[in-house]
Amino acid sequence: MAVSVLALFALVACGTQAAPGSGSGSDGSGSGDGSGTVRTDPPVTGTKWTVTTLVSGRNTTALPADLPDGRAPHLTFGEDGTVEGSLGCNTFHGKATVKGTTITFGPLASTRKMCAAEAMEVERSVLAVLAGETTYTIKDQVLSLTAPGGKGLGASAVAPEPGKSQG
């Protein structure tokens, strides 16, 4: 009887133990996709992130579908404490310190082109998030940034093209 209880306990323990790297979180670990394989979430640095959603308080909206092709904002955090990318209309670069679950943005320098009203509105919304201290998570290939006051964004990891580095 004692052996049966121990065997049952061992089976339950083995069945509920997560495989290494099968978790999901901001540490770059992954999650399963239901197919028995483990998908690893990318690290925050070195990954090109394309903005797909904007958050204001409790409202989450997808980027306007009528943005011109190639105008979705994107950003890449460097290992050297930098950030660069596109706001949808203008390009930018600056400092971004990644520590724990926090990213602190320094002042960003950007070009100053005028674009269509929709693109400029998206740009203003993205800039409102990329100012000062934010918190972040990465889950299922999506980076979520949240600034104080409820502003935020969601960005999907862009798979690198074969033979090309991201950025």
Side-chain angles (χ1 to χ4, degrees):
M1 178 74 174
V3 172
S4 298
V5 171
L6 287 175
L8 180 60
F9 179 73
L11 272 173
V12 170
C14 288
T16 60
Q17 182 177 10
S22 66
S24 182
S26 61
D27 62 355
S29 58
S31 60
D33 62 5
S35 67
T37 60
V38 174
R39 183 180 66 231
T40 302
D41 282 330
V44 69
T45 56
T47 302
K48 181 177 180 181
W49 300 98
T50 298
V51 178
T52 56
T53 57
L54 298 170
V55 179
S56 181
R58 294 180 181 212
N59 298 324
T60 302
T61 56
L63 288 185
D66 56 357
L67 283 179
D69 284 342
R71 292 292 182 155
H74 61 84
L75 58 156
T76 304
F77 298 95
E79 297 283 342
D80 60 353
T82 60
V83 62
E84 64 180 23
S86 170
L87 298 165
C89 176
N90 290 287
T91 58
F92 73 94
H93 67 275
K95 296 287 184 188
T97 305
V98 180
K99 186 173 183 180
T101 58
T102 302
I103 300 174
T104 303
F105 292 91
L108 300 178
S110 72
T111 57
R112 299 215 176 254
K113 296 184 288 184
M114 291 299 294
C115 293
E118 302 83 25
M120 296 306 294
E121 183 61 33
V122 167
E123 186 164 301
R124 283 188 288 276
S125 296
V126 171
L127 278 172
V129 178
L130 307 183
E133 188 172 297
T134 62
T135 58
Y136 82 95
T137 60
I138 299 173
K139 183 176 181 185
D140 297 331
Q141 308 286 312
V142 174
L143 168 70
S144 298
L145 288 175
T146 306
K151 299 273 186 194
L153 61 82
S156 296
V158 177
E161 294 179 31
K164 286 191 171 185
S165 63
Q166 291 193 22

